[in-house]
Each structure stands twice: as C-alpha cells, then as structure tokens.
Amino acid sequence: MESKVLLHVDCDFSMETSAAQAMIGQIRAYVPIGIKIALELYSTTATYDVILTNMDRVYSSVMPTFVFLNLQNELDVPRLKNFLTAHYFDKLFQ
C-alpha cells in the first residue's frame, strides 16, 4: 500500500526565481525513491514541514532547517538525502 504522506519542503534560496526553480529541480533529482515531497519556493504565508536554504537566516526554532553550501559539494548531497528521509519518516510515523 502506498503512503499518502507528503513532506512539504520550503526552498528559500539567495537567488532569483528562475535560478531557484533550477535548484529545486536539482534537489528533486537527489530525493531518495519512495520519499514523497513537495518542493516550493519560500512564502511567509505557507506552512511547511522543513526548510532548505543556502542562507544563514533564523527561521522558527521548531522548523527543521537544512543549510547547504553548494549542491555540487560532495558532502552536502548525502546530508540532504538523510535530512529529507529522516523528516519524511518522522512525519510518516507521527
């Protein structure tokens, strides 16, 4: 049976919208199979499960946040996959 759980991911990047959309496409390619996520550009009015950002910015203290340097960085990609997987399963088993 397929899960209906969807991890809502806020993407807050320090770049123009078209570059941010390209970054979202790149991130989508790194999402492990079986993990369902919705990647959206940051909006102050939306509700998210986690935040992905490349900026040193303070968000809600209860909002899990992943800060990456560069997705071409070989250290960031495995950490990103682990972050998304862990938070997906946290939501799945709530």
Side-chain angles (χ1 to χ4, degrees):
M1 188 170 145
E2 199 168 335
S3 169
K4 301 280 188 243
V5 170
L6 182 68
L7 188 69
H8 293 273
V9 181
D10 162 37
C11 298
D12 191 13
F13 306 136
S14 62
M15 56 191 71
E16 62 186 47
T17 302
S18 59
Q21 291 288 4
M23 180 75 73
I24 286 173
Q26 186 179 3
I27 290 167
R28 189 168 276 118
Y30 294 135
V31 176
I33 293 173
I35 304 298
K36 294 181 183 176
I37 67 171
L39 295 163
E40 301 167 8
L41 288 176
Y42 181 71
S43 165
T44 56
T45 58
T47 303
Y48 302 102
D49 297 309
V50 298
I51 296 174
L52 303 182
T53 186
N54 63 348
M55 297 179 285
D56 184 17
R57 178 180 284 176
V58 176
Y59 298 95
S60 164
S61 61
V62 298
M63 183 72 61
T65 303
F66 180 86
V67 180
F68 60 89
L69 299 172
N70 181 336
L71 290 179
Q72 276 68 52
N73 179 332
E74 62 187 35
L75 298 175
D76 278 350
V77 173
R79 287 179 45 243
L80 174 63
K81 288 179 179 180
N82 290 340
F83 176 84
L84 293 173
T85 301
H87 288 289
Y88 178 81
F89 282 105
D90 284 351
K91 185 172 182 179
L92 184 64
F93 294 114
Q94 280 182 354

